[in-house]
């Protein structure tokens, strides 16, 4: 019998998903919730090579995604030692109805977890939700974790207050908040820095003179090892020939045609964020040298003392002698 997993349709309408998740983020999170290795508990074995095989991503990209979801989004835990993963808060939505069969299943899945730290850390992050939940079965789930921790002689840190604060921001009417504790806030020990994709978006928005929240627009370029500096060179190049970049060249178009734009930008000298100096040409539309006009005389010309009638008489005499003058040529 096929195993079913619950995915709330509100996932697609949530502001955090719309504003902060890239296409890769959405796909990866849905994969973590529904892949064949997943469990009701949300803690299960998932080696990176299996993720790579099932998603089609390279193992390098998988490593980047795991790091992003664990450190930046803080909605998973991953054990490098055992290759197990914990999707934080999945128990909020994976269980609709409790009862002894579900309780026995969770107990069995807890017992099968190899890395005890995953159980401990998941328990500590879920305490705030369990303590405030009105669902009777949530207290049962909490007890199951405590029994398993006691059996393994694991001692939980006294972080009830901290976890209450962490979970106060969870919108129970908004599905992805259970998986995305905070995209914008760093952990207490982590400095708040922008990802390369965010920096690229800032450069793009600055060129357009606008402010947009979607921070995953250029994550695909990051996976291709495109540097922020290379991206800035391309934006400078595109802006040089396209004044209305928003109308004619969208973010997706730039990402899709980046290699072509990059080659052309490099060829024209757009490097290190600098625009090349434009060279002036003396050639017209016919590709022929333009006629150089004589410089305009601005000073008044002095009056001549030569008698014009005398000059005319001399020219007439020369003509009678059969000599050609410059004026006749």
């Amino acid at each position: 019998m096929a195993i079913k997993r619950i995915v709330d349709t509100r996932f697609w309408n949530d502001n955090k998903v719309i504003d902060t998740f890239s296409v890769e983020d959405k796909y990866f999170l849905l994969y973590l919730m529904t892949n064949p290795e997943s469990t009701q508990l949300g803690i299960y074995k998932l080696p990176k090579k299996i993720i790579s095989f099932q998603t089609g991503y390279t193992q390098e990209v998988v490593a980047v995604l795991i790091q992003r979801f664990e450190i930046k989004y803080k909605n998973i835990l991953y054990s490098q030692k055992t290759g197990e993963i914990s999707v934080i808060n999945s128990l909020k939505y994976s269980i609709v109805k409790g009862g002894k069969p579900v309780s026995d299943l969770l107990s069995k899945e807890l017992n099968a977890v190899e890395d005890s730290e995953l159980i401990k850390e998941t328990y500590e992050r879920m305490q705030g939700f369990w303590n405030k939940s009105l669902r009777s079965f949530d207290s049962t789930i909490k007890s199951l974790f405590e029994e398993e921790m006691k059996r393994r002689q694991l001692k939980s840190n006294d972080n009830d207050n901290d976890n209450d604060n962490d979970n106060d921001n969870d919108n129970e009417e908004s599905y992805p908040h259970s998986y995305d504790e905070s995209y914008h806030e760093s952990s207490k020990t982590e400095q708040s820095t922008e990802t390369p994709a965010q920096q690229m978006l800032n450069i793009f928005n600055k060129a357009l003179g606008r402010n947009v929240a979607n921070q995953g627009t250029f994550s695909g370029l990051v996976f291709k090892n495109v540097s922020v500096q290379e991206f800035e060179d391309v934006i400078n190049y595109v802006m040089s020939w396209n004044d209305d970049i928003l109308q004619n060249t969208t973010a997706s178009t730039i990402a899709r045609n980046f290699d072509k734009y990059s080659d052309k930008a490099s060829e024209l000298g757009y490097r290190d964020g600098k625009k090349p100096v434009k060279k002036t040409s003396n050639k017209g539309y016919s590709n022929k040298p333009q006629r150089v006009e004589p410089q305009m005389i601005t000073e008044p010309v002095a009056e001549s003392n030569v008698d014009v009638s005398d000059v005319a008489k001399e020219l007439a005499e020369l003509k009678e002698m059969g000599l050609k003058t410059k004026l006749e040529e």
Side-chain angles (χ1 to χ4, degrees):
M1 183 177 176
I3 298 174
K4 304 291 192 300
R5 296 286 176 233
I6 297 173
V7 178
D8 198 310
T9 58
R10 287 174 292 179
F11 174 88
W12 298 105
N13 295 325
D14 187 88
N15 289 333
K16 282 191 175 182
V17 172
I18 294 173
D19 292 341
T20 65
F21 274 36
S22 68
V23 174
E24 290 84 4
D25 294 339
K26 295 173 186 176
Y27 174 46
F28 190 62
L29 184 53
L30 288 173
Y31 166 76
L32 293 180
M33 295 186 290
T34 61
N35 73 82
E37 318 302 323
S38 63
T39 62
Q40 195 79 44
L41 180 68
I43 306 175
Y44 54 92
K45 204 171 190 68
L46 191 64
K48 293 178 183 177
K49 62 181 180 181
I50 297 296
I51 301 175
S52 176
F53 175 75
Q54 293 179 340
T55 62
Y57 289 137
T58 63
Q59 291 197 40
E60 290 76 14
V61 171
V62 169
V64 170
L65 285 168
I66 288 176
Q67 185 180 40
R68 181 190 304 172
F69 274 75
E70 186 170 23
I71 297 176
K72 189 66 178 180
Y73 293 178
K74 304 183 200 63
N75 52 12
I76 69 168
L77 298 168
Y78 193 82
S79 172
Q80 302 291 343
K81 178 173 61 176
T82 64
E84 293 174 298
I85 193 168
S86 172
V87 182
I88 304 300
N89 297 319
S90 65
L91 286 167
K92 291 182 183 181
Y93 298 94
S94 65
I95 298 176
V96 177
K97 186 178 180 180
K100 191 174 187 308
V102 177
S103 179
D104 290 344
L105 175 62
L106 292 177
S107 182
K108 180 181 178 181
E109 291 177 348
L110 277 167
N111 186 262
V113 175
E114 296 178 17
D115 192 338
S116 298
E117 284 299 311
L118 289 180
I119 296 176
K120 176 184 172 182
E121 291 189 45
T122 301
Y123 170 79
E124 290 175 351
R125 295 201 189 187
M126 288 293 294
Q127 277 194 76
F129 169 76
W130 287 330
N131 291 338
K132 294 183 294 184
S133 176
L134 300 178
R135 298 192 308 178
S136 59
F137 193 69
D138 283 328
S139 61
T140 302
I141 299 174
K142 181 181 179 184
S143 298
L144 291 173
F145 268 81
E146 290 172 344
E147 289 172 9
E148 184 63 27
M149 291 172 63
K150 184 177 181 181
R151 187 183 72 81
R152 300 191 185 210
Q153 298 182 344
L154 298 174
K155 186 177 181 181
S156 173
N157 296 325
D158 186 17
N159 287 335
D160 281 4
N161 291 332
D162 292 340
N163 281 284
D164 283 346
N165 292 333
D166 289 341
N167 287 280
D168 280 343
N169 294 326
D170 283 350
N171 182 355
E172 295 305 317
E173 296 301 318
S174 180
Y175 175 78
H177 287 195
S178 63
Y179 294 94
D180 184 6
E181 291 294 328
S182 174
Y183 179 88
H184 298 289
E185 296 178 4
S186 302
S187 64
K188 294 180 181 178
T189 59
E190 180 190 9
Q191 282 189 328
S192 177
T193 57
E194 288 186 330
T195 64
Q198 288 174 300
Q199 294 178 51
M200 290 179 185
L201 181 73
N202 290 340
I203 293 172
F204 179 76
N205 288 337
K206 185 177 180 181
L208 269 58
R210 66 174 187 173
N211 183 23
V212 190
N214 186 358
Q215 297 167 343
T217 307
F218 300 107
S219 59
L221 294 179
V222 178
F223 288 151
K224 292 172 61 177
N225 296 320
V226 173
S227 69
V228 174
Q229 189 60 71
E230 289 176 301
F231 180 81
E232 186 175 0
D233 293 341
V234 167
I235 290 296
N236 285 335
Y237 160 66
V238 174
M239 289 297 294
S240 70
W241 57 263
N242 191 344
D243 294 333
D244 194 354
I245 187 174
L246 180 58
Q247 180 177 350
N248 301 310
T249 308
T250 61
S252 60
T253 302
I254 286 183
R256 186 168 59 252
N257 298 322
F258 185 86
D259 292 340
K260 180 179 69 176
Y261 292 151
S262 181
D263 291 343
K264 191 65 177 177
S266 179
E267 177 186 332
L268 295 176
Y270 287 82
R271 294 185 181 91
D272 302 326
K274 298 178 181 178
K275 302 177 183 178
V277 177
K278 292 186 178 180
K279 297 180 180 179
T280 56
S281 174
N282 290 328
K283 294 184 178 181
Y285 294 108
S286 62
N287 208 31
K288 295 180 180 179
Q290 290 180 322
R291 179 183 176 185
V292 179
E293 297 292 340
Q295 186 175 1
M296 181 181 292
I297 299 176
T298 57
E299 297 294 331
V301 180
E303 294 184 2
S304 175
N305 296 322
V306 178
D307 191 341
V308 177
S309 60
D310 291 341
V311 174
K313 186 183 296 183
E314 290 180 9
L315 290 175
E317 292 175 355
L318 288 173
K319 189 173 182 181
E320 289 178 1
M321 295 171 61
L323 299 178
K324 290 185 177 181
T325 67
K326 285 288 183 181
L327 296 176
E328 293 177 311
E329 291 180 355

